[in-house]
Amino acid sequence: MTQPVIQALGESALILNTGSSATLEYQQRLWAIAAQAAQWPHVRDIVPGMNNLTILFDPLAADPQQLEERLLEAWDTAAVSQKTGRKIDIPVVYGGDSGPDLEEVARHTGLAPAEIVKRHTAAEYIVYFIGFQPGFPYLGGLDPKLATPRRSEPRVIVPAGSVGIGGSQTGIYPAASPGGWQLIGHSAVQLFDPNENPPTLLQPGDRVRFVASEVIL
């Protein structure tokens, strides 16, 4: 198993980088460490990322060197988290104005648009982490044959609810924002509501299935 690298982020945070490609096993190990670190004194917040974990601490009370040693020990000894998240179905309209890049993905992959929809809805995805913007899920489990590079020129505005492919991952935009993922569909599901607790619909470890409510070819 690769030994992680720990770096300081200013005076009140440490980031543990696994230095590996994204795998469910590594993400599960990071979730397990996050659960442990939440009980450590002087830790203010924990942010799991893709292949990394950031710990924010009280710089006036915590010893960064001790925290680093605890992180390395936790990496070596933590049992892989076997938590099973919720199963959530997300309805999607594929193609047409809802998925303006479906044809581009078809050209890149050599698959027919209908086959792309079939493969995209056949998989069960795991939420690796939430990032980029509040509620944005980075999902593992994309069929490798659907992997498509991001757009060479990102859009100025990607509509909220857009379902896209970026490299070997798929995800959903919770809010309108600039973005470079290839858009293949759109969902009306609300992923972020600051008035809810928790405010994000999806959490790390949740299982997601996309359901085609309509396909426009």
Side-chain angles (χ1 to χ4, degrees), residues 51-72:
N51 303 324
N52 62 66
L53 183 74
T54 300
I55 291 187
L56 291 87
F57 57 86
D58 182 351
L60 299 179
D63 183 332
Q65 182 62 38
Q66 289 183 357
L67 279 177
E68 181 173 341
E69 292 172 358
R70 293 193 74 173
L71 280 172
L72 290 173

Side-chain angles (χ1 to χ4, degrees), residues 1 22 27 33-34 37 43 48 59 63-64 85 93 101-102 106-107 119 121 126 140 159 165 169 177 199 206:
M1 182 171 59
Q27 290 302 121
I33 296 173
V43 171
D63 183 332
V93 176
D101 297 326
L102 183 59
R107 283 192 290 272
R119 289 173 180 264
T121 55
I126 302 293
I165 292 174
Q169 290 186 297
S177 71
D206 283 348

Side-chain angles (χ1 to χ4, degrees), residues 78-169:
V80 172
S81 172
Q82 297 299 327
K83 71 176 181 178
T84 300
R86 301 162 299 159
K87 183 175 181 180
I88 299 175
D89 290 343
I90 295 181
V92 178
V93 176
Y94 287 92
D97 292 338
S98 297
D101 297 326
L102 183 59
E103 292 291 342
E104 176 60 30
V105 175
R107 283 192 290 272
H108 175 79
T109 62
L111 301 172
E115 181 65 16
I116 291 170
V117 174
K118 178 181 177 181
R119 289 173 180 264
H120 195 257
T121 55
E124 181 176 81
Y125 302 93
I126 302 293
V127 180
Y128 276 9
F129 77 105
I130 303 296
F132 170 55
Q133 56 178 243
F136 189 105
Y138 285 80
L139 304 175
L142 182 70
D143 185 327
K145 292 187 177 180
L146 298 183
T148 305
R150 293 168 173 79
R151 292 169 55 88
S152 57
E153 295 186 10
R155 288 181 170 86
V156 176
I157 292 294
V158 173
S162 293
V163 177
I165 292 174
S168 61
Q169 290 186 297

